[in-house]
Amino acid sequence: MALSIRGYAAQSATSPVAPYQFERRDPRPDDVVIDILYCGVCHSDLHQARNEWHSSVYPLVPGHEIVGRVSAVGDKVSKFKVGEMVGVGCMVDSCQHCASCNAGLEPYCENGATWTYNDKDRHDGLPTFGGYSERIVVSDKFVVRISDKLDPKAAAPLLCAGITTWSPLRHWKIGKGSKVAVIGLGGLGHMGLKFAKAMGADVTLFTRTPGKEAEARRLGADHVVLSTDAQQMAAAARQFDFILDTVPSPHDLNPYLATLKLNGVLCLVGLLEPIEPPVQAAMVILGRRSISGSAIGGIAETQEMLDFCAEHGIVSDIEVIDIKDINHAYERMLKSDVKYRFVIDIASLKAA
C-alpha cells in the first residue's frame, strides 16, 4: 500500500513552506524505506520553493540532505538492513546504462538523473518529494551508509554541501603538496576548507569580509587573503594549483584567475549566472589556465566521502531547527546568518 506521509511543502512561489499530507509510492522490491531523522537545508531548497530557477512544480516538498534509519527493505535488497543509519542526497535514480552512469557519474546521466524533489519518477511518472517529511522510499542503489562515528545531524549536509566540494577536489587530485584556495566562507566554503586541509593541501581562504581569519583557521585555512585588498591580491599572484569557487552570485573571476599558477584550474560549484564582467581571454590563455565546473558526485564517490569523513572526524558546522521555523531560516540564510548549515530535526514534525 502507498504510504501516507506528513511533511512541509510550498504550494506556490509566494506561499510559505507549510504542513502538507501526501503519499509515497508502495515500496518496490529494490526499495529502502527510511524514517527520516534529520534533513539539511540547502540554498537550492529556497530557490526551488520560490521558483527562482523557473522550473518548480507545486506542491513542492524540498530537502535533499537526508539522514535516517532503515525501517523496511524490499525483497531484492541485500545491502541494507532494518535499523541501519543511512543517507539520501540529491538523486534518487538515473538511467543506469549510459556512459556516465556506467562510470559511476550518475549526476551527469545522459538521460537525466531523477532528483530527490521537484522531479518525476522515471518508472511511474509520479512527482518526487524531498526530505522535509517523516519518511522516504528510495531505490537501494541511491542510498548510502552513515557511519556510527558520525553525528547523524551534522552528517546530513554532507549529502549535498559535502559532496559538492569533495567531488572536484578528488577529481583534480588534490593532496599533499597542492596549493588550494577556496572563495567564500559559507555552507560550501567551510566544507571545502575542511576537505582540502584533510587531504594534505596548503589551504587559503579568499574572503571579502575582514575579521574572518580566526574562524577560517579553525576550519582548516593556513592563510587568509582579503580579496578587496589590491596588495594582498597582488601578493597572491600565480600561487595556486586549484581554486574552488563556492560563491553563487555573480562576481569578477579575473582577479582570482591571476592567482593561478601555470595550468591552474578555477572550478565553479556555485551557480553564478551570468558570469560578469567577462573573463579576459589573455588571463586564461597566457597562463594556460582553465575555468571549470562541478556538480555533486556519484553514489560510489559519495560513499567514499562519507567514509573519509568518518575516518577524519569531518562533519558540517550546523544549527538545528524545528521544521516550523523553516521560513524564518530561509530569511536568515539570505542574510548569511548561519554558521554554516541549518538542519531540520524531523522529530519536530510531530509537534508542527
Side-chain angles (χ1 to χ4, degrees):
M1 294 178 59
L3 305 175
S4 181
I5 304 294
R6 291 174 298 175
Y8 262 51
Q11 298 289 343
S12 74
T14 57
S15 65
V17 180
Y20 176 61
Q21 193 88 17
F22 63 99
E23 287 191 345
R24 298 277 189 198
R25 66 169 181 262
D26 185 18
R28 300 166 186 151
D30 65 340
D31 275 340
V32 178
V33 182
I34 302 165
D35 291 342
I36 300 174
L37 299 176
Y38 301 102
C39 184
V41 180
C42 181
H43 207 122
S44 302
D45 299 347
L46 186 153
H47 287 311
Q48 296 278 29
R50 299 182 178 180
N51 198 25
E52 292 175 352
W53 291 339
H54 310 293
S55 61
S56 299
V57 178
Y58 300 98
L60 185 150
V61 178
H64 59 203
E65 297 177 343
I66 300 165
V67 170
R69 288 199 182 276
V70 177
S71 58
V73 297
D75 293 341
K76 294 185 179 179
V77 176
S78 59
K79 292 166 52 180
F80 301 100
K81 297 179 181 179
V82 171
E84 285 189 304
M85 190 73 73
V86 296
V88 177
C90 302
M91 304 173 290
V92 290
D93 207 352
S94 69
C95 81
Q96 297 175 44
H97 59 72
C98 69
S100 294
C101 289
N102 287 336
L105 299 172
E106 296 94 344
Y108 305 103
C109 176
E110 295 166 18
N111 296 295
T114 301
W115 306 112
T116 303
Y117 69 88
N118 196 45
D119 206 347
K120 288 185 178 180
D121 185 283
R122 62 198 319 119
H123 303 286
D124 57 27
L126 294 175
T128 59
F129 294 119
Y132 292 15
S133 58
E134 59 186 343
R135 192 170 293 120
I136 192 167
V137 181
V138 184
S139 165
D140 64 343
K141 296 180 180 65
F142 287 80
V143 177
V144 289
R145 188 168 282 102
I146 306 293
S147 170
D148 292 339
K149 296 179 181 179
L150 295 174
D151 177 350
K153 57 183 178 293
L158 298 177
L159 278 304
C160 179
I163 189 59
T164 297
T165 49
W166 169 270
S167 187
L169 291 169
R170 287 288 286 161
H171 179 73
W172 274 280
K173 298 179 173 58
I174 300 306
K176 187 175 182 180
S178 300
K179 295 199 71 173
V180 172
V182 176
I183 305 176
L185 184 58
L188 294 178
H190 93 289
M191 291 305 309
L193 292 178
K194 290 185 179 189
F195 283 144
K197 185 64 176 178
M199 290 172 173
D202 182 86
V203 187
T204 295
L205 173 71
F206 281 121
T207 179
R208 296 177 57 86
T209 308
K212 288 190 174 181
E213 184 165 352
E215 178 72 353
R217 289 184 182 278
R218 179 184 71 82
L219 294 165
D222 298 293
H223 320 279
V224 177
V225 172
L226 190 63
S227 58
T228 53
D229 186 314
Q231 286 187 321
Q232 290 189 35
M233 291 297 287
R238 297 180 294 279
Q239 293 293 308
F240 302 109
D241 301 296
F242 184 82
I243 299 175
L244 185 70
D245 189 338
T246 72
V247 177
S249 54
H251 56 279
D252 190 353
L253 300 184
N254 293 290
Y256 301 107
L257 287 169
T259 70
L260 287 172
K261 294 179 181 178
L262 179 68
N263 298 323
V265 175
L266 187 153
C267 180
L268 305 175
V269 292
L271 284 173
L272 58 115
E273 294 178 338
I275 293 177
E276 55 184 15
V279 170
Q280 298 169 16
M283 192 69 70
V284 177
I285 293 169
L286 297 181
R288 201 160 68 182
R289 301 172 172 115
S290 300
I291 300 172
S292 188
S294 180
I296 59 170
I299 298 302
E301 188 176 33
T302 303
Q303 188 64 65
E304 175 192 61
M305 172 208 64
L306 290 167
D307 295 342
F308 182 92
C309 288
E311 180 182 352
H312 293 270
I314 296 173
V315 289
S316 295
D317 287 27
I318 64 168
E319 179 179 335
V320 179
I321 62 169
D322 288 352
I323 198 165
K324 64 180 175 57
D325 297 322
I326 184 60
N327 296 291
H328 179 57
Y330 282 174
E331 295 306 316
R332 285 182 57 193
M333 193 160 55
L334 288 172
K335 300 174 185 176
S336 299
D337 180 23
V338 57
K339 290 185 176 179
Y340 286 93
R341 300 289 279 198
F342 288 116
V343 173
I344 302 167
D345 182 350
I346 298 299
S348 66
L349 186 60
K350 297 176 182 177

